[in-house]
Amino acid sequence: MKLSKTEEELMNHLWKLNKAFMKDLLEVYPEPKPATTTVATLLKRMTGKGFVGYKLLGNARQYYPLVKKKDYFSKHLDGLIK
């Protein structure tokens, strides 16, 4: 399964942070920052695709990658080669 360009950008931030709350992810975006709802939608999609998991801590969700960066890009490269 492949990520869209915006999902890939968010995933790169998550790989760098390893674990992050929504506010942490929004902080690492350059200006102009995306809307909170946009990031929430992307995270929901990526969770559905099996790229992101989360742990509920009170009312907040702590997100973490389920796929390693090198695994994603090696599969992506294999697809391009084929």
Side-chain angles (χ1 to χ4, degrees), residues 31-73:
E31 293 291 340
K33 295 186 184 298
T36 306
T37 53
T38 302
V39 176
T41 301
L42 290 171
L43 285 166
K44 188 174 182 177
R45 262 196 257 151
M46 291 160 61
T47 302
K49 289 181 178 181
F51 284 94
V52 175
Y54 64 87
K55 194 186 315 182
L56 269 176
L57 299 170
N59 288 339
R61 291 179 180 187
Q62 185 181 44
Y63 295 94
Y64 54 90
L66 294 174
V67 176
K68 288 185 174 85
K69 188 174 185 172
K70 68 178 182 112
D71 292 345
Y72 173 72
F73 284 105

Side-chain angles (χ1 to χ4, degrees), residues 6-18:
T6 52
E7 290 170 339
E8 214 170 89
E9 183 183 6
L10 179 56
M11 198 68 196
N12 275 315
H13 293 312
L14 196 52
W15 280 319
K16 282 180 194 158
L17 295 169
N18 200 32

